[in-house]
Amino acid sequence: MEDFTNLQTKNKSYGGANGNKKSVIYNNELWMLKFPSNARLNNNVSYSNSTISEYIASYIFNMVGIKCQQTKLGYYISNNIKRICVICKDFEENGYRFSDFASLRNQVVDSKTEGHSTNLDDILQIFNEQDIVPHKEITTFFWETFIIDALLGNWDRHNGNWGYLYNIDTNDSVIAPVFDNGSSLFPQADEKIMKLVLSNPDEIKSRVYDIPLSAIKINNQKINYFDFLTTTDNQDCKNAIRKIVPLINLVEIFKFIDEIEILSDIQKQFYKTIIKERKERILDIAYNKNQK
């Protein structure tokens, strides 16, 4: 693993609540150095595994053809403490600047929809009302991202961590790469929890069918990934299921996880089990229903 401790820093700042961030120069390019967030839900660990989740999730998005922020794992030493970190390539380049989805709603003068609303109907309505990004393109991106978030158990894909890139010189707008995936794959779980889950089929089932829920809501209730994907009549979502699920290659994913040298055998087994079980019990069932 690479040592990120002495990378040159820049003054650019980054928002978001998922871990501290620094702007750094890596291979003569601007990257964001992202530290693990505090494990607020688990008092037994000082920091979450969010940086590892970020790294694995980013690989899977890119593997299925959904453009995602480039990431690399490494470490950073501060006060004699070695922390596992991830660097993420800054995609604000070549004149493009990022705006989140919530700000997209603000472009619609007559919209009555709240930009930060994560209710599904509000989100889909904004897709129809805005004219910054082609409707079909943003709708397809949204649902394909939702499918992989379901695979990874991402509970925090809100309107502030996805959006579009705008070029002020050319007036072009494109959807930004997927980023901020640290809330995937149960980042608060330490090895004690992982062992418990792996040894108990009911714990695995709970992490497939019950938790986590999506940040997207229907009637102000967070969506249960299994319930929604196996019963939806949304044609755009069904199209995304048919396209994305066959592209999820478990052999390739498992090989990638096995080659992450900092992971213990328990961690590798946990991540592979969660991904396998969520694919087979959620996505494969949804896919098979869509073939009938």
Side-chain angles (χ1 to χ4, degrees):
M1 272 203 316
E2 294 185 67
D3 182 354
F4 300 146
T5 307
N6 296 314
L7 291 178
Q8 178 187 352
T9 60
K10 305 296 283 186
N11 291 331
K12 182 174 182 178
S13 60
Y14 298 98
N18 194 4
N20 295 329
K21 308 169 183 72
K22 295 178 66 173
S23 180
V24 297
I25 299 297
Y26 178 79
N27 288 344
N28 298 315
E29 295 179 310
L30 193 64
W31 290 61
M32 176 183 68
L33 176 58
K34 194 170 183 179
F35 296 87
S37 56
N38 291 325
R40 296 185 301 273
L41 302 181
N42 185 352
N43 294 327
N44 293 320
V45 292
S46 299
Y47 294 95
S48 75
N49 293 315
S50 58
T51 52
I52 296 171
S53 297
E54 185 92 44
Y55 183 61
I56 296 173
S58 298
Y59 173 84
I60 293 173
F61 271 108
N62 282 315
M63 182 193 74
V64 300
I66 302 174
K67 189 174 182 180
C68 186
Q69 190 175 40
Q70 292 177 246
T71 61
K72 293 180 180 292
L73 268 184
Y75 63 89
Y76 187 95
I77 299 174
S78 177
N79 295 324
N80 295 320
I81 298 174
K82 185 176 181 179
R83 298 179 184 176
I84 303 303
C85 301
V86 63
I87 55 171
C88 310
K89 191 174 187 305
D90 193 315
F91 46 68
E92 285 192 325
E93 56 185 358
N94 301 321
Y96 283 93
R97 294 294 177 262
F98 175 74
S99 292
D100 62 24
F101 176 75
S103 68
L104 187 65
R105 175 264 174 206
N106 295 336
Q107 301 284 340
V108 185
V109 176
D110 297 322
S111 178
K112 297 180 180 179
T113 302
E114 167 59 47
H116 288 281
S117 170
T118 52
N119 274 306
L120 180 60
D121 287 345
D122 292 340
I123 292 172
L124 299 182
Q125 181 178 335
I126 294 174
F127 291 169
N128 288 320
E129 293 176 340
Q130 61 82 37
D131 59 3
I132 304 297
V133 181
H135 171 265
K136 182 177 181 181
E137 184 179 338
I138 195 170
T139 302
T140 298
F141 173 84
F142 172 82
W143 285 118
E144 291 181 359
T145 301
F146 186 89
I147 301 305
I148 297 301
D149 280 342
L151 173 71
L152 300 170
N154 189 337
W155 52 267
D156 195 34
R157 183 74 65 196
H158 54 76
N159 293 343
N161 63 12
W162 73 283
Y164 66 101
L165 298 169
Y166 170 69
N167 190 310
I168 193 171
D169 296 321
T170 64
N171 201 38
D172 290 333
S173 296
V174 296
I175 296 176
V178 176
F179 68 100
D180 201 4
N181 300 307
S183 297
S184 305
L185 296 172
F186 302 95
Q188 305 285 350
D190 58 14
E191 287 204 8
K192 181 179 179 181
I193 292 175
M194 291 180 179
K195 289 177 182 178
L196 173 64
V197 172
L198 292 171
S199 65
N200 189 333
D202 289 336
E203 291 287 342
I204 294 176
K205 287 174 61 177
S206 176
R207 283 161 176 78
V208 172
Y209 300 121
D210 303 326
I211 59 172
L213 302 176
S214 170
I216 308 300
K217 301 177 182 178
I218 294 178
N219 297 324
N220 290 317
Q221 298 294 317
K222 290 186 175 182
I223 289 175
N224 178 295
Y225 282 116
F226 173 81
D227 292 344
F228 180 82
L229 289 175
T230 57
T231 61
T232 185
D233 59 1
N234 183 291
Q235 191 59 51
D236 293 313
C237 179
K238 294 168 77 170
N239 290 341
I241 292 170
R242 285 193 287 267
K243 175 184 175 182
I244 296 299
V245 174
L247 299 176
I248 300 171
N249 185 328
L250 291 182
V251 173
E252 185 178 338
I253 293 171
F254 290 176
K255 181 175 183 293
F256 174 78
I257 291 173
D258 282 335
E259 291 175 349
I260 302 176
E261 59 187 40
I262 64 165
L263 296 183
S264 67
D265 290 342
I266 291 295
Q267 288 176 302
K268 291 176 181 179
Q269 185 182 356
F270 177 80
Y271 291 131
K272 292 189 292 185
T273 299
I274 290 296
I275 291 169
K276 177 179 182 292
E277 293 294 329
R278 291 185 68 87
K279 178 183 183 295
E280 293 179 350
R281 299 195 194 196
I282 299 177
L283 297 187
D284 286 354
I285 290 175
Y287 179 81
N288 289 333
K289 286 191 173 185
N290 273 287
Q291 304 311 302
K292 297 178 181 179

